[in-house]
Amino acid sequence: MSDTEEQERDSNELSPAQRLEPPNSRLINAGVVTIHDMETLRECVAYENANQQRVRILRQLKQQADEIRSTD
């Protein structure tokens, strides 16, 4: 398994709450940019919509979705 595949597997083990509720915004940014699949991204969008509904976070998730789509 390559380092990239291992990092993707490890990052996919984070729950939406772990990605979107850390104590500072830099960790939230890191949680979003390490999303590499649409299923995880959808889970995070659903979590954010059901809980905080922060426009800035939802924008970041949309940008990440656009990036995932462009690499597929």
Side-chain angles (χ1 to χ4, degrees), residues 6 15-16 19-20 28 30-31 39 46 52 54 64-65 68 70 72:
E6 189 171 328
S15 71
R19 288 181 186 280
L20 302 175
I28 293 172
E39 180 182 346
Q52 304 267 349
R54 296 168 290 191
Q64 189 66 15
I68 292 169
S70 72
D72 285 347

Side-chain angles (χ1 to χ4, degrees), residues 38 63-72:
M38 291 304 285
Q63 288 174 339
Q64 189 66 15
D66 292 343
E67 185 158 326
I68 292 169
R69 286 185 194 107
S70 72
T71 60
D72 285 347

Side-chain angles (χ1 to χ4, degrees), residues 7-49:
Q7 287 173 345
E8 284 183 25
R9 190 195 78 229
D10 291 345
S11 71
N12 288 340
E13 293 175 4
L14 296 174
S15 71
Q18 289 171 313
R19 288 181 186 280
L20 302 175
E21 297 297 335
N24 70 56
S25 63
R26 287 192 299 182
L27 292 175
I28 293 172
N29 294 341
V32 171
V33 298
T34 58
I35 298 172
H36 300 289
D37 63 281
M38 291 304 285
E39 180 182 346
T40 302
L41 187 106
R42 285 185 191 104
E43 290 172 2
C44 289
V45 169
Y47 176 86
E48 188 63 26
N49 282 329

